[in-house]
Amino acid sequence: MAKIKKGDLVEVIAGATQARGGDRGKQGKVLRVITEENRVVVEGINFVTKHVKVGQTQRGSKTGGLETVEAPIHISNVALVDPETKKPTRVGHRVEAVTKDGITKNVRVRYAKKSGKDL
């Protein structure tokens, strides 16, 4: 089971510092998770310049040229942000018994290891 999911708030914990032009210490939302490659795309982090072939739309306006897009970053280089302290934390799982309409069900819950809050 993946510890980081789409929509989670994460912080970059590896790489060059912001003073040196890197992304370490920045926080952003996970846009997508690429499980086959163990990578995540984070909003506002790891921008790359992409060359897109110039074309024309039906109205005649130009498309393409240089675009900046977020590139995937390895999942080990990001950590989930604790909702209470706003600092990186590890993720734990616990099984809780939930009763609904007289039926007891075991539900797996993610929680922040530092504060113990549910995610």
Side-chain angles (χ1 to χ4, degrees), residues 86-105:
K86 302 293 184 223
K87 295 202 173 179
T89 183
R90 290 199 226 155
V91 181
H93 291 88
R94 67 174 169 243
V95 177
E96 291 181 353
V98 177
T99 306
K100 187 176 181 182
D101 298 330
I103 301 169
T104 304
K105 224 178 187 183

Side-chain angles (χ1 to χ4, degrees), residues 12 40 46 51 55 57 77 89 94-95 111:
V12 179
V40 291
N46 198 24
H51 296 261
T57 62
N77 295 333
T89 183
R94 67 174 169 243
V95 177
Y111 70 97

Side-chain angles (χ1 to χ4, degrees), residues 5 7 9-10 16 18 21 37 40 48 53-54 58-59 62 64 78-79 94 109 114 118:
K5 298 180 183 242
L9 184 66
V10 295
Q18 293 179 33
E37 300 172 17
V40 291
V48 293
K53 190 173 182 179
V54 176
Q58 294 286 53
R59 295 183 176 160
K62 300 252 184 210
V78 296
R94 67 174 169 243
V109 178
K114 280 189 180 175
D118 288 353

Side-chain angles (χ1 to χ4, degrees), residues 15-114:
T17 60
Q18 293 179 33
R20 293 182 175 259
D23 288 329
R24 190 191 322 161
K26 288 185 181 177
Q27 293 183 356
K29 261 195 171 39
V30 175
L31 298 176
R32 70 185 169 118
V33 179
I34 307 165
T35 53
E36 302 85 38
E37 300 172 17
N38 289 328
R39 292 181 173 270
V40 291
V41 177
V42 184
E43 184 178 31
I45 293 175
N46 198 24
F47 277 112
V48 293
T49 304
K50 190 174 180 183
H51 296 261
V52 179
K53 190 173 182 179
V54 176
Q56 278 190 330
T57 62
Q58 294 286 53
R59 295 183 176 160
S61 62
K62 300 252 184 210
T63 60
L66 295 176
E67 292 180 358
T68 54
V69 293
E70 291 107 347
I73 186 171
H74 200 271
I75 206 161
S76 67
N77 295 333
V78 296
L80 207 74
V81 174
D82 192 329
E84 194 172 275
T85 61
K86 302 293 184 223
K87 295 202 173 179
T89 183
R90 290 199 226 155
V91 181
H93 291 88
R94 67 174 169 243
V95 177
E96 291 181 353
V98 177
T99 306
K100 187 176 181 182
D101 298 330
I103 301 169
T104 304
K105 224 178 187 183
N106 289 335
V107 179
R108 195 169 177 171
V109 178
R110 292 189 313 158
Y111 70 97
K113 291 248 183 165
K114 280 189 180 175

